[in-house]
Amino acid sequence: MKLLLGFMWLLHWLPLPVLGRFGNLIGSLLFILLPSRRHITLTNLRLCMPELTEAERVVLARQHFQAYSRSVWERGILWWASEARLRRLIQLDPGSVPVEQMTAQPTILLCPHFVCLDVAGAAVAMETSASSMYVQQKNLAFDRVLRAGRSRFKPVKLFTRQDGIKPIMRALRDKLPYFMLPDMDFGEKDAEFVPFFGIEAATLTATARIAATTGAQVLPVIATFLPNFQGWRVKFYPVWDNYPGTDMVAATRRMNAFIEDRVREAPAEYFWTHKRFKTRPNGEPSLYQRAPKP
């Protein structure tokens, strides 16, 4: 792992178009070499985008592997490049981070699992302190680099799932914006089955419940690639009106519908290698079982 991190550090000095093309090359190789992840990706695409032909889904799956690989290698820029270089590469929409809006009251920054999500974190961290939950890495060296990379600008608070909900609530009451990534399958605990691209998906209701408890506003933010390897776009969407209301399930469905719309805008960049539909209601069989060979 230390060798890999050292290699990432060396590569971050490359011009972004060179690094991006290198990432695409590695992604194309991984598409061939990782059949289990390829199967998961194609299964998700068959479920979520049945309007595409199988050939179109294969092309999209390969593009996703390329995008995911790019995001990993380009993360070295986020961790080690100068702030001036990052500001040149990150295009903000609108033209600046809405710091005053997100710190005037408790704010949940809804950040779905697009491959460039760390870019959104860097864009905010250069302007103001924030908090987020992260997955503690098994490799200690990688974990240290990850934490340092996400906290090298303004002070941040990073929580793990083991920390529970209380630190998040305290951060929000202190008007520290909280990055929330609720669109993965964590099982049935604290989740409801609501549609995602028309498929019942175990979805955390935490966004709605925390917003209801703290009075936090929900401000979505999504980072995507700019064309031609020119950098990244970080878009802040309008705060959701009348959210969450009184129906937490309806509020969670509203969240999924918003994410669906954003996925259709940049379909190759959503995190398709995750088993989004792993947990099934009422003991239904897995959607990821391979068909038996004839």
Side-chain angles (χ1 to χ4, degrees):
M1 181 57 71
K2 289 183 178 180
L3 288 175
L4 175 61
L5 290 171
F7 188 50
M8 290 179 67
W9 180 84
L10 288 173
L11 290 181
H12 96 274
W13 296 101
L14 293 174
L16 187 58
V18 177
L19 183 56
R21 289 182 173 90
F22 171 78
N24 277 356
L25 174 62
I26 298 300
S28 296
L29 292 174
L30 293 176
F31 181 75
I32 298 170
L33 296 174
L34 298 178
S36 61
R37 289 295 169 183
R38 186 174 67 242
H39 170 72
I40 293 168
T41 300
L42 286 170
T43 300
N44 284 331
L45 292 174
R46 290 181 190 115
L47 292 168
C48 296
M49 298 187 176
E51 70 277 8
L52 299 180
T53 66
E54 185 65 7
E56 289 171 331
R57 286 190 286 265
V58 170
V59 170
L60 184 55
R62 183 180 293 108
Q63 291 173 341
H64 170 65
F65 273 71
Q66 293 172 338
Y68 187 49
S69 173
R70 275 187 65 187
S71 73
V72 171
W73 297 109
E74 293 177 6
R75 201 169 295 169
I77 297 176
L78 304 179
W79 291 346
W80 295 301
S82 68
E83 183 173 333
R85 186 183 182 192
L86 282 180
R87 291 186 183 277
R88 288 194 301 269
L89 292 174
I90 297 175
Q91 180 186 103
L92 298 172
D93 182 7
S96 61
V97 175
V99 174
E100 185 174 342
Q101 182 183 29
M102 68 174 64
T103 57
Q105 67 182 83
T107 299
I108 294 171
L109 294 170
L110 182 75
C111 189
H113 277 84
F114 286 77
V115 297
C116 293
L117 63 88
D118 278 277
V119 179
V124 170
M126 287 190 289
E127 304 297 340
T128 187
S129 295
S131 63
S132 180
M133 186 170 288
Y134 91 113
V135 177
Q136 195 166 10
Q137 304 298 303
K138 294 179 181 178
N139 184 279
L140 294 180
F142 187 76
D143 191 74
R144 284 194 297 269
V145 171
L146 178 64
R147 291 179 64 92
R150 290 183 175 178
S151 58
R152 70 188 186 105
F153 299 113
K154 299 292 190 294
V156 301
K157 292 184 178 180
L158 296 175
F159 313 123
T160 67
R161 287 180 62 82
Q162 289 70 34
D163 293 328
I165 195 72
K166 290 183 179 179
I168 298 170
M169 306 292 272
R170 284 196 294 268
L172 285 169
R173 292 191 180 103
D174 292 338
K175 298 181 181 178
L176 194 64
Y178 174 63
F179 272 96
M180 194 156 206
L181 295 76
D183 57 324
M184 297 188 83
D185 188 335
F186 292 106
E188 293 189 55
K189 183 180 180 181
D190 300 323
E192 294 285 347
F193 286 99
V194 295
F196 184 62
F197 284 96
I199 310 297
E200 293 297 304
T203 308
L204 294 175
T205 58
T207 303
R209 290 186 291 105
I210 292 174
T213 301
T214 63
Q217 61 182 352
V218 174
L219 194 164
V221 55
I222 294 177
T224 51
F225 292 117
L226 289 173
N228 302 317
F229 305 98
Q230 295 302 302
W232 310 279
R233 179 192 189 209
V234 177
K235 182 171 183 179
F236 295 87
Y237 291 80
V239 169
W240 287 348
D241 292 330
N242 304 315
Y243 189 86
T246 58
D247 188 334
M248 298 299 105
V249 176
T252 303
R253 175 66 190 101
R254 178 180 173 184
M255 178 187 73
N256 274 5
F258 172 85
I259 296 172
E260 289 173 25
D261 289 342
R262 305 289 77 78
V263 170
R264 292 190 182 280
E265 293 170 353
E269 298 181 42
Y270 192 63
F271 198 46
W272 296 115
T273 55
H274 167 67
K275 289 185 178 181
R276 184 62 186 89
F277 308 105
K278 179 180 179 179
T279 305
R280 306 311 308 142
N282 303 318
E284 292 178 8
S286 171
L287 297 174
Y288 297 98
Q289 291 179 348
R290 291 177 180 271
K293 292 184 180 181

